[in-house]
Amino acid sequence: MSRVWVLNLVLAGAIVLAVALAVTLGETRFSATDYAEALSRPASGPGEVLWLVRAPRAIAALFVGAALGLAGAVMQGLLRNPLAEPGVLGVSAASALAAATAIVLGLAAVPGAVEVSALFGAAAAGGLLIALAARVRTPEALILFGVALSSFAGALTALIFNLSPSPIASAEVMNWLLGSVENRSWIDVAWVAPAVLIAALLARSASPGLRMLTLGEEAARASGLSMGRMRVLALAAAALAAGAAVAVAGVIGFVGLAAPHLVRAAVRGDPGRLLPPSALAGSLMLVIADLAARMLPTDQELKLGVFTALVGAPLFALIAWRAAREWRL
């Protein structure tokens, strides 16, 4: 059994344990009798807390984390840049802009309207990136365009927030931008799960091309690889995954950047084999982060996006510092 399979099994086991803890632990403490009642009678009070509040929240965090980890790994492989992620290329910002617009226009009362808007925004950004990728040869140009797109979409989102006539809508937009899986239901899981699975299939189709890109674009093209098709598949996978994550949980940073780095050593830099463990690592990170955020003894629950940035950024800085020391040596 290869080390990648071992890593995947370890991560999957850790995810099962983390989800079990997320379902059983919470602000409301249950006795052994309460847990037995929840298992035997799901319609009881403890059963509704476990299966209609905690369980969908944990599973939503699982799929959102997988989407972010997968999107980050695809972007890093496509651009051959360890700092690439959907947030850098503007996919997350465009998705958030579309969701914020829907909220301010009063569409939040329509079931699924905000989620569809977020997916549409991600698809629009992905389409722009695909069109540009067909015209440019260097990944640096695509990154610069993505940074510009992210900044422009972020500015428009701030403008919408600033000009919103309703304080309620402004508060909803702010909650969306901070990121959270609080109060998510099985309907939200039904939104994100198929999108993540389709994105995973697209990423798998692009993985041979991502592997060939490690030899350089000229070598990849000489091998007969269709660069245009591979770019379309990779960008479509990243846009769909990132859009689904934003649609369900709002803007959550750092996970797409950090998850591939945590498992990269095990795959020896192979971007094709990096995809599954990155998705699993993203799931594990977000389930644990959400559990920690709601278990902290604070008067108001800390938003998930804030928590991942506060905890993750220093950790990632430590990883980068260690990597820099190794490069000097």
Side-chain angles (χ1 to χ4, degrees):
M1 185 179 293
S2 68
R3 60 191 299 178
V4 178
W5 276 102
V6 172
L7 174 62
N8 290 338
L9 290 175
V10 171
L11 289 172
I15 289 172
V16 171
L17 178 59
V19 170
L21 290 174
V23 172
T24 55
L25 298 179
E27 185 178 352
T28 302
R29 300 196 177 203
F30 287 169
S31 64
T33 304
D34 293 328
Y35 287 119
E37 184 179 5
L39 292 174
S40 60
R41 292 195 307 122
S44 63
E48 289 187 354
V49 172
L50 259 64
W51 306 121
L52 297 182
V53 177
R54 294 181 186 174
R57 176 172 181 165
I59 301 302
L62 183 153
F63 278 107
V64 169
L68 294 173
L70 177 67
V74 170
M75 287 294 191
Q76 291 176 18
L78 176 64
L79 300 177
R80 288 168 284 163
N81 189 321
L83 298 180
E85 61 142 352
V88 173
L89 291 185
V91 176
S92 297
S95 183
L97 170 62
T101 303
I103 292 172
V104 172
L105 292 177
L107 298 179
V110 181
V114 177
E115 289 81 359
V116 171
S117 299
L119 288 173
F120 177 79
L128 287 175
L129 291 172
I130 289 172
L132 182 68
R135 295 177 174 272
V136 300
R137 296 290 185 181
T138 61
E140 291 80 7
L142 197 60
I143 293 175
L144 291 174
F145 178 81
V147 170
L149 177 62
S150 180
S151 299
F152 185 65
L156 289 179
T157 303
L159 180 64
I160 290 174
F161 177 78
N162 189 44
L163 298 180
S164 173
S166 170
I168 297 177
S170 298
E172 290 182 3
V173 171
M174 179 56 68
N175 287 332
W176 194 271
L177 296 178
L178 294 178
S180 176
V181 290
E182 185 180 3
N183 298 324
R184 296 308 183 262
S185 66
W186 291 113
I187 296 177
D188 296 298
V189 174
W191 269 103
V192 68
V196 173
L197 294 177
I198 295 173
L201 292 176
L202 293 173
R204 182 178 180 182
S205 299
S207 62
L210 296 177
R211 187 176 294 113
M212 289 299 300
L213 270 181
T214 58
L215 303 176
E217 191 160 333
E218 293 300 327
R221 189 176 290 106
S223 69
L225 174 67
S226 175
M227 297 296 295
R229 179 177 179 274
M230 188 273 294
R231 284 196 182 102
V232 169
L233 289 172
L235 288 171
L240 180 58
V246 174
V248 170
V251 180
I252 297 177
F254 178 75
V255 176
L257 182 65
H261 283 275
L262 296 178
V263 296
R264 191 180 303 277
V267 301
R268 302 171 190 243
D270 185 339
R273 299 172 72 189
L274 182 66
L275 302 179
S278 294
L280 292 173
S283 292
L284 182 60
M285 287 174 62
L286 213 60
V287 172
I288 293 176
D290 182 56
L291 176 60
R294 64 186 176 88
M295 291 297 290
L296 286 175
T298 55
D299 294 334
Q300 187 174 359
E301 182 178 311
L302 192 64
K303 293 297 183 181
L304 184 55
V306 177
F307 184 83
T308 56
L310 288 174
V311 176
L315 176 62
F316 186 73
L318 178 61
I319 296 174
W321 179 69
R322 289 181 175 177
R325 289 187 61 188
E326 292 177 1
W327 293 335
R328 286 201 303 268
L329 295 175

